[in-house]
Amino acid sequence: SAVISQKPSRDICQRGTSLTIQCQVDSQVTMMFWYRQQPGQSLTLIATANQGSEATYESGFVIDKFPISRPNLTFSTLTVSNMSPEDSSIYLCSAMTGEQFFGPGTRLTVL
Amino acid sequence: EDQVTQSPEALRLQEGESSSLNCSYTVSGLRGLFWYRQDPGKGPEFLFTLYSAGEEKEKERLKATLTKKESFLHITAPKPEDSATYLCAVQAGNTDKLIFGTGTRLQVFP
């Protein structure tokens, strides 16, 4: 298994600003993932982040809006850029260590 | 298109009243089917992975089964602490990403 932490746990931001979410895994992993969970809905994959390569984005998500960094095998960041109220959501990171484990999420509210 | 459907959307049970949650899927090349539990305000907690039809896995009051078209999560004699949203996800093709269903919100009353 893997223990995954995220920072911040929650934030309230003004529209037009950007927020960077950090994800730390307690072991080295090849693949990390970023998901979005909108209120009352299930999880939607934003992108897959492999160390040493560009992130792979799902349909409907673009790098300019959600830039991702993956500097090493235990850490990744997701930035939500030029935020609008529609970006209010829970953002979750996960990692593959045999199974896929999730962090506790970052609850983002955009005013 | 790969699709995962969970039913019912919500389920209310009396403590001790056993029941099943359903996850039906349409995917090309299933590699694994995952069950997670999610409590309010928290990330999904891994429960089970099933890889092939006929496989079963158990953990305390939960048992997951898999056929070629669906999976069931059986809850035997549930307790109030089993109240949560249960999510099903599939991994298919040559990718490691998970495709999630919309979940079943379970409430168990004493």
Side-chain angles (χ1 to χ4, degrees), chain A residues 21-52:
Chain A
I21 303 168
Q22 298 179 9
C23 178
Q24 179 75 52
V25 187
D26 70 342
S27 59
Q28 292 186 340
V29 295
T30 302
M31 304 190 71
M32 295 180 71
F33 304 86
W34 286 97
Y35 288 82
R36 182 173 73 183
Q37 187 173 28
Q38 295 184 302
Q41 299 192 23
S42 193
L43 282 72
T44 301
L45 181 65
I46 297 171
T48 301
N50 289 337
Q51 196 269 334

Side-chain angles (χ1 to χ4, degrees), chain B:
Chain B
E1 182 182 343
D2 297 337
Q3 200 163 11
V4 180
T5 303
Q6 290 188 247
S7 61
E9 288 186 12
L11 182 62
R12 294 164 56 100
L13 298 174
Q14 204 71 36
E15 184 173 4
E17 178 187 2
S18 301
S19 189
S20 295
L21 283 55
N22 177 263
C23 172
S24 62
Y25 59 90
T26 306
V27 298
S28 300
L30 179 73
R31 293 174 53 204
L33 186 142
F34 298 73
W35 283 98
Y36 289 87
R37 167 189 172 132
Q38 187 174 28
D39 292 296
K42 296 189 176 181
E45 174 190 345
F46 172 77
L47 294 174
F48 304 109
T49 307
L50 302 167
Y51 294 102
S52 58
E55 189 174 0
E56 299 183 353
K57 288 191 177 174
E58 289 188 66
K59 180 180 179 180
E60 296 180 356
R61 295 178 292 281
L62 301 176
K63 183 168 88 171
T65 62
L66 180 65
T67 73
K68 289 186 178 179
K69 293 184 178 181
E70 59 191 348
S71 176
F72 292 95
L73 185 65
H74 307 277
I75 303 177
T76 301
K79 298 182 177 182
E81 52 261 44
D82 295 321
S83 298
T85 295
Y86 290 85
L87 297 168
C88 167
V90 298
Q91 194 177 58
N94 61 358
T95 174
D96 287 323
K97 71 178 185 181
L98 295 181
I99 302 167
F100 279 85
T102 51
T104 293
R105 189 172 68 255
L106 173 66
Q107 293 179 291
V108 182
F109 295 91

Side-chain angles (χ1 to χ4, degrees), chain A residues 47-108:
Chain A
T48 301
N50 289 337
Q51 196 269 334
S53 63
E54 294 283 329
T56 302
Y57 289 82
E58 296 298 305
S59 176
F61 298 97
V62 295
I63 188 171
D64 290 346
K65 176 68 175 177
F66 297 101
I68 288 171
S69 77
R70 183 76 204 276
N72 58 51
L73 290 173
T74 63
F75 188 79
S76 179
T77 67
L78 170 76
T79 299
V80 186
S81 302
N82 188 25
M83 288 184 286
S84 66
E86 292 71 38
D87 294 320
S88 297
S89 190
I90 298 173
Y91 292 86
L92 294 147
C93 85
S94 73
M96 287 282 295
T97 58
E99 315 300 354
Q100 194 167 130
F101 296 91
F102 284 82
T106 296
R107 183 180 294 272
L108 171 62

